[in-house]
Amino acid sequence: MSGIYIHIPFCKQACHYCDFHFSTSMRNKEAMILALANELKLRKTESNEIIETIYFGGGTPSVLTNSELQFLIDAVYEHYKVSGNPEITLEANPDDLSEARIFELANSPINRLSIGIQSFFEDDLVMMNRAHSSVEAKKSLALATKYFDNISIDLIYGIPGMSNEKWKYNIETALSFGIPHISSYALTVEPKTALKKLIKTGKIAEPKDEVAQEHFQILVDTLQQNGFIHYELSNFSKEKYFSKNNSAYWLGKKYIGIGPSAHSYDGISRSWNVANNLIYLKNIEKNILPSEAEILSITDRYNEYIMTGLRTIWGVSLRRIESEFGAKYLGYLLEQAQKFLSDELLSIENNILTTTKKGKFLADGIASDLFLVNLD
């Protein structure tokens, strides 16, 4: 087992672009923490492997107190075999990171912070309905870097009205703090979000793909010039600071997802918990796991490997395709890939299929063209 993901389904307020599962009501926070610990106990027989990573995601995990986080970490250690030096990540928002809080976290088992900055500009933060200000964003990084070495931040590009100059300023500001890991995503308009409604009513302009692509190239060029490795489509890291948790997902390792809406993978099947806090709590109280599962077919596993492989520096191993999926799958892949190889969007070197610099921004679209529905 590679890791345990713990979903904390609470936020102070709803960001306009977010479609993750969360509640802005903290009324059931105490009951949820107890339920998360109980789910960890209920699922302890699912793993006899070493846990290498513990990841608190959400939602906003930093709304939990340090004692609440410690309670959940203790539950992991009680029921699972944990490595001697696991990567333990806490997703946090700048407004939760006072110096006292950061000092407290630095003296806990948590050894990696993932801070949701998104932008250093006040107008962007207001448009996205973020809970923090640009001043808090900078202050949180100034404080966090005093106590933590392993820090990642999130930045969003392709925001309507964001010029190349503003985007460059965001990147340069992040670099000025010596942050060793940056995750960066294009602003995406998801269904049933406030952003979707604001665009539909004309209050916010729709993000443009060409702007996002230009911002992406600026990001790639700037970070590579500053010694970052572009190891996954949306992730950039200094050497030795790759996210062990996320890398495990992309490399197909096993993981257990704890909490409402959390997903799990055991190498053969995928399962997911109900995305409803009250239903989750009622079931866990009865020692019932509120989850569904599916056995992944060989085609499902092929498609997932293509998707994750093309997003990473590790690419897609043609030898693995042949050995794990068979000659028919390899033949299909090479046939479908030919047009992208001709257009220099994909390349093959040492039997590894990867996206080129030109094709990297298009990785997900290229992968979908390499998928298959069925191959008998």
Side-chain angles (χ1 to χ4, degrees):
M1 180 65 62
S2 172
I4 291 179
Y5 170 85
I6 303 176
H7 188 80
I8 307 301
F10 301 108
C11 289
K12 291 179 180 177
Q13 63 189 54
C15 298
H16 285 160
Y17 57 86
C18 183
D19 70 340
F20 292 155
H21 172 68
F22 67 91
S23 170
T24 54
S25 169
M26 304 286 173
R27 185 176 53 193
N28 293 314
K29 187 169 75 127
E30 186 176 335
M32 181 61 68
I33 292 163
L34 294 172
L36 294 172
N38 194 27
E39 187 185 356
L40 283 164
K41 179 181 178 181
L42 291 172
R43 299 181 65 183
K44 64 182 180 180
T45 58
E46 292 183 26
S47 170
N48 58 4
E49 298 179 27
I50 301 296
I51 299 299
E52 299 164 350
T53 65
I54 303 169
Y55 192 100
F56 290 96
T60 309
S62 54
V63 300
L64 267 59
T65 65
N66 275 46
S67 60
E68 290 168 338
L69 291 167
Q70 186 64 58
F71 176 74
L72 293 173
I73 292 170
D74 289 344
V76 173
Y77 273 85
E78 181 181 355
H79 302 299
Y80 300 84
K81 299 174 186 175
V82 182
S83 72
N85 185 31
E87 176 188 87
I88 305 181
T89 302
L90 177 74
E91 288 184 356
N93 277 351
D95 46 299
D96 292 325
L97 296 177
S98 66
E99 183 158 17
R101 182 73 199 278
I102 293 171
F103 179 78
E104 199 177 9
L105 288 169
N107 286 281
S108 79
I110 291 163
N111 52 31
R112 183 174 184 270
L113 292 181
S114 177
I115 305 174
I117 299 294
Q118 315 310 355
S119 177
F120 291 100
F121 288 93
E122 198 66 32
D123 58 336
D124 295 335
L125 298 173
V126 170
M127 185 277 287
M128 292 186 281
N129 201 40
R130 295 290 294 168
H132 68 275
S133 67
S134 59
V135 170
E136 287 175 315
K138 293 173 183 176
K139 185 178 179 182
S140 71
L141 294 183
L143 293 171
T145 51
K146 287 172 59 178
Y147 298 97
F148 279 86
D149 172 56
N150 199 350
I151 298 173
S152 176
I153 68 166
D154 288 350
L155 291 175
I156 292 179
Y157 58 86
I159 296 171
M162 177 180 277
S163 65
N164 288 350
E165 288 66 34
K166 282 182 71 175
W167 177 232
K168 289 174 184 175
Y169 175 86
N170 273 338
I171 301 169
E172 295 294 345
T173 302
L175 292 172
S176 72
F177 288 100
I179 303 300
H181 190 285
I182 295 175
S183 297
S184 192
Y185 310 89
L187 181 66
T188 304
V189 185
E190 302 289 355
K192 299 180 181 178
T193 59
L195 180 60
K196 177 75 173 178
K197 293 177 183 176
L198 290 167
I199 290 172
K200 189 176 180 180
T201 56
K203 293 179 181 177
I204 293 178
E206 189 153 11
K208 296 179 180 178
D209 288 342
E210 57 269 27
V211 172
Q213 186 163 3
E214 194 168 356
H215 286 179
F216 178 78
Q217 291 304 331
I218 291 170
L219 176 71
V220 171
D221 292 342
T222 306
L223 292 185
Q224 288 183 340
Q225 288 165 13
N226 282 273
F228 281 74
I229 301 165
H230 190 188
Y231 72 106
E232 194 272 341
L233 183 61
S234 302
N235 288 270
F236 304 78
S237 172
K238 290 290 184 75
E239 197 170 351
K240 299 181 181 179
Y241 288 93
F242 288 11
S243 166
K244 293 179 183 177
N245 176 81
N246 293 349
S247 295
Y249 296 157
W250 303 319
L251 292 171
K253 293 186 179 181
K254 301 174 185 178
Y255 57 90
I256 292 177
I258 301 294
S261 80
H263 284 59
S264 303
Y265 175 66
D266 65 5
I268 300 170
S269 66
R270 204 169 286 288
S271 63
W272 54 95
N273 287 344
V274 64
N276 181 296
N277 287 4
L278 291 178
I279 294 174
Y280 173 84
L281 289 171
K282 287 177 181 177
N283 277 268
I284 294 295
E285 188 178 359
K286 298 173 185 176
N287 294 328
I288 297 170
L289 294 174
S291 63
E292 296 180 56
E294 64 172 345
I295 302 295
L296 298 176
S297 68
I298 188 170
T299 300
D300 292 332
R301 289 187 283 111
Y302 163 85
N303 289 343
E304 288 198 7
Y305 178 48
I306 295 298
M307 173 63 80
T308 55
L310 287 186
R311 289 180 63 98
T312 71
I313 58 172
W314 302 291
V316 174
S317 166
L318 300 183
R319 289 194 181 97
R320 177 179 168 184
I321 292 290
E322 186 170 25
S323 64
E324 190 170 324
F325 304 105
K328 286 185 178 180
Y329 281 82
L330 177 60
Y332 175 85
L333 172 60
L334 292 174
E335 182 183 349
Q336 292 298 108
Q338 192 55 53
K339 59 184 176 182
F340 300 110
L341 291 165
S342 298
D343 291 339
E344 298 182 342
L345 298 173
L346 292 177
S347 67
I348 296 176
E349 189 173 339
N350 298 322
N351 276 305
I352 302 293
L353 180 71
T354 58
T355 53
T356 63
K357 182 179 179 180
K358 180 180 171 184
K360 202 167 287 291
F361 182 76
L362 306 172
D364 288 346
I366 294 170
S368 68
D369 280 356
L370 304 181
F371 288 170
L372 54 84
V373 178
N374 196 17
L375 188 63
D376 297 320

